[in-house]
Amino acid sequence: MSDCIFCKIINHEIPGKIVYEDDVCLAFLDLSQTTDGHTLVIPKQHFNHILDVDADTLSHMIKVVQIVAKNIENKLGAKGFNIVSNMNEIAGQSVHHFHIHIIPRYNESDGFKAIYTDRSNEVDLDKIYTKLVD
Ligand code: 5GP
Ligand code: ZN
């Protein structure tokens, strides 16, 4: 028996408000509901994070993200989405079973803040680029 809370939801050991299920993955409402309809898409197989997941599972999951998001758009009237996956504690991952957050957006003050700091004046873009492509 797994200690992983998401594996427990998959195995119906604890309840989850499941909005989509197939052989590969599951989508269910996040308890925190950052915004109405905040949903998690998870693979049925346990992977710790995005870099561990095989390509077939990952590509299937992104299709499911699209299906689930379209349903939220239709039924809850979402105006847009932030699609997010946190990897490791440094990035805020608290449950170490890979998951993709679907965070519907309704207005600019609906509770979710995506913060992108602009450091363009402080960094050497050429240096970073060269390291990545060399
Ligand atoms: P992370 O912080 O790892 O990116 O996201 C984990 C998410 O799982 C959080 O948004 C948290 O609210 C949600 N979560 C944690 N435990 C449970 C649970 O037992 N049931 C549901 N539905 N969501 C959970
Ligand atoms: Zn798990």
Side-chain angles (χ1 to χ4, degrees), residues 5-6 28-32 40 86 92-95 99 101:
I5 193 120
F6 288 176
F28 57 97
L29 294 182
D30 190 305
L31 275 183
S32 69
L40 302 173
N86 302 322
Q93 185 177 10
S94 59
V95 178
H99 51 281
H101 291 261

Side-chain angles (χ1 to χ4, degrees), residues 4-134:
C4 169
I5 193 120
F6 288 176
C7 282
K8 285 187 165 59
I9 292 175
I10 291 162
N11 297 330
H12 302 285
E13 290 168 40
I14 62 166
K17 294 208 179 320
I18 295 167
V19 294
Y20 177 94
E21 181 166 10
D22 63 27
D23 289 345
V24 177
C25 66
L26 198 68
F28 57 97
L29 294 182
D30 190 305
L31 275 183
S32 69
Q33 290 298 288
T34 299
T35 59
D36 288 4
H38 179 181
T39 299
L40 302 173
V41 179
I42 64 172
K44 286 189 168 172
Q45 192 180 339
H46 182 102
F47 301 97
N48 288 336
H49 54 61
I50 189 166
L51 299 192
D52 284 349
V53 185
D54 65 274
D56 284 347
T57 301
L58 197 55
S59 51
H60 179 78
M61 284 176 67
I62 205 70
K63 290 177 198 164
V64 170
V65 165
Q66 189 186 53
I67 291 166
V68 171
K70 279 181 177 170
N71 190 46
I72 296 170
E73 182 185 45
N74 290 335
K75 305 274 180 58
L76 298 183
K79 302 287 186 289
F81 295 91
N82 291 92
I83 311 291
V84 180
S85 184
N86 302 322
M87 180 189 149
N88 289 344
E89 280 92 350
I90 188 76
Q93 185 177 10
S94 59
V95 178
H96 295 273
H97 181 127
F98 172 55
H99 51 281
I100 301 174
H101 291 261
I102 302 175
I103 303 168
R105 302 304 304 273
Y106 300 94
N107 57 64
E108 283 171 11
S109 53
D110 58 14
F112 183 77
K113 293 259 177 299
I115 299 168
Y116 298 97
T117 307
D118 185 352
R119 295 168 58 241
S120 54
N121 292 328
E122 300 162 28
V123 300
D124 184 339
L125 205 56
D126 286 336
K127 201 169 156 189
I128 295 168
Y129 178 71
T130 304
K131 274 189 186 172
L132 288 171
V133 297
D134 268 2

